[in-house]
Amino acid sequence: NAGVTQTPKFRILKIGQSMTLQCTQDMNHNYMYWYRQDPGMGLKLIYYSVGAGITDKGEVPNGYNVSRSTTEDFPLRLELAAPSQTSVYFCASEPHGAKNIQYFGAGTRLSVL
Amino acid sequence: AQRVTQPEKLLSVFKGAPVELKCNYSYSGSPELFWYVQYSRQRLQLLLRHISRESIKGFTADLNKGETSFHLKKPFAQEEDSAMYYCAPNFGNEKLTFGTGTRLTIIP
């Protein structure tokens, strides 16, 4: 049982490049989340999804896009990378009926130079 | 404004001593409160939630509505308690708001 899997673990981007952070879960959870964590800060919610085909903005969505075509996958897209997007990104999933009990991936450390 | 504060970035405690990790919040309603923990080389995971009134790994947390706090406590620290701890309230909008975290180090 893999749980929540994030790829890649590390990535360095140049300003203006684009990339997709992958997140997949094998627990059949309805809810999925993307957070970013800057040094010394708490996790900030970027986007979330309550099920396939449904996504919504969190606290800090600017510069990001998401899609949820299947229950398992919730990729996060950066279109024009900026230094302000240097951060650690966490994906999490949550089963229906277990509010706020979230299962996290290992994280993706992204640097934009 | 809704806000969660963990006033200590770092906390060092001797093994066997009591531990208290502070969490304060600003919210006019009744939040649901959670503590998440990240051990070294492990993923962030739920430690406990106030609604369950449970003790997990010897830790308890009581919601004090008067002081708007949800401090995490353990009477006797163990070396395996060394980790990063995050207080995470739900301020009624179904989402978690994470504090900045406290890094707890247990000194042998």
Side-chain angles (χ1 to χ4, degrees):
Chain A
N1 191 346
V4 179
T5 303
Q6 289 184 239
T7 56
K9 286 186 169 36
F10 306 95
R11 184 74 185 267
I12 298 175
L13 283 182
K14 294 182 179 179
I15 295 172
Q17 286 185 320
S18 62
M19 79 163 292
T20 299
L21 281 66
Q22 301 291 346
C23 176
T24 187
Q25 52 97 3
D26 62 0
M27 298 175 283
N28 201 33
H29 289 172
N30 291 74
Y31 300 89
M32 294 188 75
Y33 303 85
W34 273 107
Y35 295 93
R36 60 175 286 172
Q37 185 176 30
D38 299 331
M41 305 295 288
L43 279 70
K44 301 285 187 188
L45 183 63
I46 306 171
Y47 270 96
Y48 66 100
S49 170
V50 300
I54 306 168
T55 62
D56 209 344
K57 296 178 181 178
E59 185 183 355
V60 290
N62 291 344
Y64 306 94
N65 279 299
V66 293
S67 60
R68 183 96 182 269
S69 56
T70 66
T71 299
E72 294 78 19
D73 299 308
F74 190 41
L76 178 71
R77 179 85 178 159
L78 283 71
E79 290 294 350
L80 291 169
S84 60
Q85 293 178 305
T86 294
S87 191
V88 181
Y89 292 83
F90 291 100
C91 179
S93 71
E94 177 183 312
H96 181 69
K99 191 168 68 172
N100 297 139
I101 299 177
Q102 296 183 6
Y103 296 79
F104 283 82
T108 295
R109 187 175 296 275
L110 176 68
S111 294
V112 182
L113 305 175
Chain B
Q2 300 160 356
R3 189 168 57 245
V4 55
T5 304
Q6 292 182 251
E8 304 136 330
K9 280 194 183 303
L10 303 171
L11 181 64
S12 295
V13 173
F14 284 101
K15 179 182 173 182
V19 175
E20 183 179 54
L21 295 152
K22 292 185 169 56
C23 173
N24 298 292
Y25 65 89
S26 298
Y27 180 52
S28 57
S30 295
E32 295 182 44
L33 289 140
F34 302 79
W35 277 97
Y36 276 77
V37 61
Q38 187 169 25
Y39 301 102
S40 179
R41 288 185 288 278
Q42 292 188 30
R43 301 175 183 202
L44 191 60
Q45 59 187 284
L46 177 70
L47 179 62
L48 58 78
R49 47 183 176 160
H50 92 275
I51 196 169
S52 300
R53 304 185 69 80
E54 58 203 345
S55 173
I56 303 292
K57 299 185 178 183
F59 283 98
T60 58
D62 289 321
L63 174 60
N64 186 323
K65 291 186 179 180
E67 295 182 0
T68 59
S69 68
F70 187 54
H71 302 331
L72 185 67
K73 300 177 183 179
K74 184 170 182 176
F76 307 104
Q78 298 172 294
E79 289 186 61
E80 55 265 33
D81 297 329
S82 292
M84 194 75 180
Y85 291 81
Y86 295 94
C87 181
N90 173 339
F91 291 127
N93 62 357
E94 308 300 311
K95 316 291 183 309
L96 291 174
T97 299
F98 284 84
T100 52
T102 298
R103 182 170 297 282
L104 175 65
T105 301
I106 306 303
I107 305 165

